[in-house]
Amino acid sequence: MRRRLFLAGALATVLAAGTACGGGGSDDAAGGGTEKLTIYTARDKKVATFVVDKFTAKYPEYKGKVEVLNLGAQEILERVRAEKANPQADVWWGGTQQGLAAGAAEDLLTSWQPAFAGKMDAKYKDPEGRWFGEILLPEVIMYNNKALTPEKAPKDWDDLLKPEWKNKIIIRDVAASGTMRSIYASMIQRQSPDGSNPQPGYDWLKKLDANTGAYAANPTDLYLKLSRQQGVLSAWNLQDILLQAEQANMPFGYVMPSSGAPVLVDGLAAVKGGNSTGAQKFIEFLFEDSLRADLAKDYFQIPAVDIAEKPEWLAQLDLKPLDVDWDVIGKHETEWINHWNSQIKNKG
């Protein structure tokens, strides 16, 4: 049985809170020899807790043996990459297709064929079975609906550059966030379809930076700043906006941009060298029809594999996808975001 090191820092907080079970690879007292399952996730904490509770109810041998560490999607990639020689995670849950593809290319992910893979559109999964899309995430314009009416909110991406919004935009710090990296890369790629000339996109992002009043360190910081009207606008994913508005009573609304919303394939994978038995069991569980229906209804997820009956909000969603080439973005995203971070951020 594989030995594990204690996860430091943020994971220690999770362990202390009782959502995890302590250090080594096996803990016979708690689970009859079942190996611990460690999950790195970019999912909302409420979603992660709901799913893990359902998982351990179905598989009681994992009760007290699931560790969950919440990180940004890009942070997960960087952490799994850094731990390649001694993997600490078993499941990577919540990552952009370009981030997961990078992990696959670096031999960080396990190749396998789960039962649900045959139902999934080829564009939502890795051809070698190293990652699978779980949900679709439209990226939209977010606003404080106590400060702005729907009529006054911007209608499209370019509206964010208007002088009236100077210092009224709050952006989740881009480099660590899969959502923000994808939005910013989409803004570049829409003006350079083959990615060969990012300068018009850089110029666009520089104008957005000039209107940005602050960069939030993490999603919680973003929600607090926006709710307190330190800014009134942002760009964010639809699911988290709806979750915060519905479950946390945050004063958030959204605009589906008239030119279209980048729609991310947000997925998951089993980490190579990890607890493959537990990881595969957890991933298969996530694709059970009843769970996906609950997550769509109560947590505003858009499943990558269709469900039999869509909840009302999803059936009525007027989704307008932006024409985005994710292969081009996957090739250039690191270069583009590094340029933004060093040459554009706070310089607009």
Side-chain angles (χ1 to χ4, degrees):
M1 190 98 38
R2 176 164 59 91
R3 296 290 299 173
R4 292 286 178 90
L5 299 175
F6 277 107
L7 296 174
L11 185 53
T13 303
V14 178
L15 290 167
T19 59
C21 73
S26 64
D27 182 8
D28 294 345
T34 301
E35 191 172 356
K36 182 181 67 180
L37 181 64
T38 301
I39 300 169
Y40 290 176
T41 185
R43 290 282 178 268
D44 182 272
K45 290 181 180 179
K46 291 185 178 70
V47 174
T49 299
F50 175 79
V51 170
V52 170
D53 286 350
K54 289 277 191 181
F55 176 73
T56 55
K58 180 170 181 175
Y59 299 105
E61 65 269 29
Y62 284 95
K63 188 85 171 170
K65 291 206 155 195
V66 180
E67 295 179 339
V68 178
L69 179 58
N70 288 90
L71 297 163
Q74 182 65 20
E75 291 172 310
I76 296 177
L77 170 59
E78 291 170 0
R79 187 160 186 147
V80 171
R81 178 186 284 148
E83 294 169 351
K84 183 176 182 179
N86 183 25
Q88 300 296 300
D90 306 307
V91 177
W92 173 353
W93 178 25
T96 64
Q97 64 193 75
Q98 58 271 30
L100 288 162
E106 295 175 33
D107 199 30
L108 303 176
L109 310 178
T110 297
S111 176
W112 65 299
Q113 287 300 322
F116 60 79
K119 304 176 185 177
M120 183 175 288
D121 192 306
K123 66 185 176 183
Y124 298 153
K125 61 184 177 181
D126 176 61
E128 297 181 30
R130 295 167 295 183
W131 62 266
F132 303 92
E134 183 197 3
I135 59 176
L136 307 181
L137 282 179
E139 312 299 335
V140 298
I141 296 169
M142 178 184 187
Y143 67 94
N144 182 309
N145 58 23
K146 288 187 176 178
L148 295 175
T149 64
E151 293 74 25
K152 290 185 177 180
K155 300 300 184 289
D156 205 359
W157 298 110
D158 289 346
D159 294 339
L160 296 174
L161 307 186
K162 291 181 177 178
E164 65 199 85
W165 304 122
K166 186 169 182 64
N167 293 325
K168 294 183 179 180
I169 297 173
I170 307 291
I171 294 292
R172 195 293 201 211
D173 198 22
V174 176
S177 167
T179 289
M180 292 312 308
R181 292 171 74 95
S182 298
I183 293 173
Y184 274 38
S186 296
M187 295 300 103
I188 296 172
Q189 195 267 326
R190 69 180 180 141
Q191 299 185 69
S192 178
D194 66 357
S196 62
N197 179 22
Q199 192 57 51
Y202 291 159
D203 293 342
W204 191 95
L205 290 174
K206 188 171 184 177
K207 293 175 184 177
L208 181 63
D209 179 74
N211 275 1
T212 300
Y215 290 97
N218 51 55
T220 300
D221 190 31
L222 170 65
Y223 304 148
L224 287 174
K225 282 180 164 61
L226 202 65
S227 66
R228 293 169 178 170
Q229 297 188 30
Q230 293 173 249
V232 297
L233 291 171
S234 190
W236 198 235
N237 73 77
L238 177 62
Q239 181 195 14
D240 284 351
I241 296 170
L242 295 175
L243 273 174
Q244 291 301 314
E246 181 74 18
Q247 298 189 2
N249 249 352
M250 288 292 192
F252 299 158
Y254 76 91
V255 173
M256 187 68 65
S258 58
S259 63
V263 180
L264 290 181
V265 178
D266 193 278
L268 72 170
V271 177
K272 191 170 185 178
N275 172 4
S276 60
T277 299
Q280 292 176 15
K281 184 172 287 190
F282 182 79
I283 291 170
E284 290 273 19
F285 174 76
L286 273 170
F287 281 84
E288 291 186 1
D289 290 346
S290 60
L291 178 63
R292 294 188 305 114
D294 286 344
L295 289 171
K297 177 178 177 291
D298 297 328
Y299 293 92
F300 305 103
Q301 290 195 175
I302 303 176
V305 177
D306 281 340
I307 52 177
E309 188 174 340
K310 294 181 179 180
E312 184 177 0
W313 77 269
L314 182 53
Q316 295 180 355
L317 180 65
D318 184 19
L319 180 59
K320 299 176 183 176
L322 183 69
D323 184 14
V324 174
D325 190 327
W326 293 108
D327 289 335
V328 170
I329 287 178
K331 182 179 179 181
H332 295 284
E333 180 186 289
T334 299
E335 166 201 342
W336 291 347
I337 299 304
N338 285 347
H339 178 90
W340 175 85
N341 211 32
S342 63
Q343 302 299 319
I344 297 175
K345 181 183 177 183
N346 291 325
K347 295 179 172 66

